């Protein structure tokens, strides 16, 4: 599937605080924890618990969320299909959409029981 400017804008305007509980609910149904969710988000965005809670309290949009994030240097290693979109095929002009899908891929892997050391990608030495 192809990302459109309209789709990108729709995601950019979504409120992170309204989506976070959905992520958490999905993970808890699969015996994963809030701490694990926050660990994955911290790895991907650089947000510690305080910064994450501030963004939730401020009802930051995904646009604001990703503008403030320091995306992990190994984010390019996140590949695969999420919601019908192959992450590595999302055009650079839709960076925000790609980042959102990358984060969802990490959360999806967590929900499916993948080990944390595999989710938090590191370059092979």
């Amino acid at each position: 599937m192809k990302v459109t400017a309209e789709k990108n804008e729709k995601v950019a305007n979504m409120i992170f605080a309204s989506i976070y509980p959905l992520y958490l609910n999905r993970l808890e149904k699969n015996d994963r924890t809030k701490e694990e969710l926050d660990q994955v988000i911290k790895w991907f965005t650089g947000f510690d618990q305080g910064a994450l809670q501030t963004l939730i309290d401020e009802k930051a949009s995904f646009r604001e969320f990703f503008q403030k994030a320091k995306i992990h240097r190994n984010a390019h290693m996140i590949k695969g299909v999420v919601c019908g979109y192959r992450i590595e095929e999302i055009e650079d002009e839709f960076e925000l959409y790609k980042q959102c899908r990358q984060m969802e891929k990490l959360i999806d892997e967590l929900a499916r029981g993948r080990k944390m050391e595999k989710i938090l990608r590191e370059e092979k030495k």
Side-chain angles (χ1 to χ4, degrees):
M1 292 178 23
K2 294 289 255 183
V3 180
T4 63
E6 295 79 19
K7 187 76 161 169
N8 190 66
E9 193 61 21
K10 182 178 178 184
V11 169
N13 291 323
M14 290 171 59
I15 303 300
F16 176 75
S18 66
I19 304 301
Y20 181 85
L22 302 176
Y23 292 153
L24 183 57
N25 186 41
R26 174 163 186 234
L27 291 174
E28 287 176 338
K29 285 181 185 176
N30 290 288
D31 296 321
R32 300 311 286 250
T33 66
K34 178 183 186 305
E35 290 73 25
E36 289 173 309
L37 171 60
D38 292 350
Q39 182 182 355
V40 166
I41 293 173
K42 181 180 181 180
W43 177 87
F44 185 62
T45 64
F47 295 136
D48 63 19
Q49 189 58 46
L52 187 58
Q53 191 58 53
T54 297
L55 289 163
I56 291 169
D57 293 344
E58 291 175 350
K59 296 191 178 356
S61 67
F62 272 105
R63 175 180 283 114
E64 295 161 330
F65 180 87
F66 285 115
Q67 281 174 345
K68 293 177 181 179
K70 291 177 181 67
I71 301 301
H72 195 280
R73 69 184 180 282
N74 290 342
H76 68 278
M77 297 171 72
I78 304 167
K79 299 179 189 301
V81 178
V82 177
C83 300
Y85 293 91
R86 179 157 292 284
I87 292 169
E88 54 272 35
E89 292 176 1
I90 297 173
E91 296 89 358
D92 290 342
E93 69 183 288
F94 303 121
E95 182 180 26
L96 182 142
Y97 193 84
K98 184 174 193 169
Q99 291 169 342
C100 186
R101 293 298 177 212
Q102 286 173 317
M103 188 168 71
E104 288 176 1
K105 178 69 174 173
L106 298 174
I107 294 166
D108 184 54
E109 290 175 356
L110 187 60
R112 292 175 185 223
R114 192 163 196 211
K115 290 184 173 31
M116 194 61 80
E117 57 268 15
K118 297 276 191 190
I119 297 169
L120 308 182
R121 289 145 170 89
E122 291 299 326
E123 298 276 357
K124 290 190 170 70
K125 306 250 187 243

